[in-house]
Amino acid sequence: SVLLAANASDKNDVVQTFLSTSEFQSTVIVSPSVWMIHFYDGSASADGVSLVYKEVAAVLNGIVKVGAIDVSVPQQREIADALKLESFPKIFVLGDDKMNPIEHKGNMEPQELLQTAVSAIGKAVETRARSRWVVQDRQSGGKNQQTSTGDTVVQLNDRNFQRKVLDNPEVGMVVFVAPWCGHCKQLLPEWREAARLLQG
């Protein structure tokens, strides 16, 4: 079994709710992040969002965004209708193709919910990488050349390392590079591409 430890305040803060379809659209649908959304009927259960779901959300904080939608509320039911979802409660993961959410098929055990989230992250990375390299190969005539991308790499130093890395709740990848190392410099474009693919 998985033991999840999180502060009560953390658990309440990391499950996002939505007041309207437009808020869901602007927050979730256009987001590059992977989302896990719990659709439940608040009129059928006094429990609402379960403690287990809140604990899983606390573990995923900064990695996968987590939300909850009470379909007994008309404005929130419209969100479920827009996604063509029926019968509740259900948990869906929204990856890169937000209009085709993936249903969580397991039970509400923490390890099963976490596995669904991890699987969705893997699929999102694979989809972005495949899309990037297919487009790149077409543009370069089949040669896998580096194309220019927006720089998503943050330069770290002794003044910002604590804030950007140690105090940051999000998962980060840190590469230590020696300025005199030729091999390190040759790999910089690859690290920048990895940062772009993993953004969000």
Side-chain angles (χ1 to χ4, degrees):
S1 64
V2 175
L3 178 62
L4 299 177
N7 294 330
S9 59
D10 291 342
K11 287 183 259 184
N12 292 331
D13 293 340
V14 294
V15 178
Q16 186 162 348
T17 57
F18 311 94
L19 299 177
S20 65
T21 305
S22 61
E23 183 185 3
F24 185 79
Q25 172 78 26
S26 62
T27 307
V28 177
I29 299 300
V30 300
S31 166
S33 300
V34 173
W35 279 81
M36 177 178 277
I37 307 287
H38 184 200
F39 293 84
Y40 68 98
D41 187 344
S43 66
S45 170
D47 296 335
V49 178
S50 72
L51 179 60
V52 168
Y53 188 69
K54 291 177 181 178
E55 289 176 337
V56 168
V59 171
L60 293 173
N61 189 23
I63 304 169
V64 172
K65 295 184 183 265
V66 179
I69 293 175
D70 182 356
V71 296
S72 67
V73 178
Q75 295 89 338
Q76 295 186 46
R77 177 61 194 234
E78 290 175 4
I79 299 169
D81 291 343
L83 293 170
K84 300 178 182 175
L85 306 181
E86 298 177 352
S87 75
F88 309 98
K90 284 186 179 176
I91 293 176
F92 288 88
V93 176
L94 291 77
D96 277 359
D97 186 0
K98 297 288 193 297
M99 295 310 293
N100 288 296
I102 302 164
E103 183 178 353
H104 169 67
K105 297 290 188 181
N107 57 36
M108 284 292 287
E109 290 297 317
Q111 56 266 43
E112 294 202 23
L113 289 167
L114 292 171
Q115 184 56 50
T116 295
V118 169
S119 176
I121 294 169
K123 287 178 182 175
V125 171
E126 183 181 339
T127 299
R128 293 182 193 186
R130 189 182 314 116
S131 172
R132 164 72 172 87
W133 288 319
V134 166
V135 171
Q136 181 176 307
D137 284 347
R138 287 179 183 160
Q139 291 174 342
S140 63
K143 297 176 183 176
N144 194 12
Q145 299 172 345
Q146 184 71 27
T147 58
S148 65
T149 60
D151 197 348
T152 55
V153 174
V154 175
Q155 296 294 326
L156 298 170
N157 54 48
D158 58 347
R159 294 182 304 279
N160 67 6
F161 191 84
Q162 179 77 33
R163 177 172 49 87
K164 293 282 189 181
V165 178
L166 301 180
D167 296 339
N168 191 338
E170 296 186 354
V171 174
M173 180 170 61
V174 178
V175 180
F176 294 88
V177 178
W180 44 262
C181 175
H183 295 295
C184 297
K185 290 181 179 179
Q186 286 179 341
L187 285 172
L188 286 176
E190 303 300 327
W191 292 120
R192 285 194 170 89
E193 180 59 13
R196 189 190 71 80
L197 291 171
L198 294 171
Q199 189 176 19

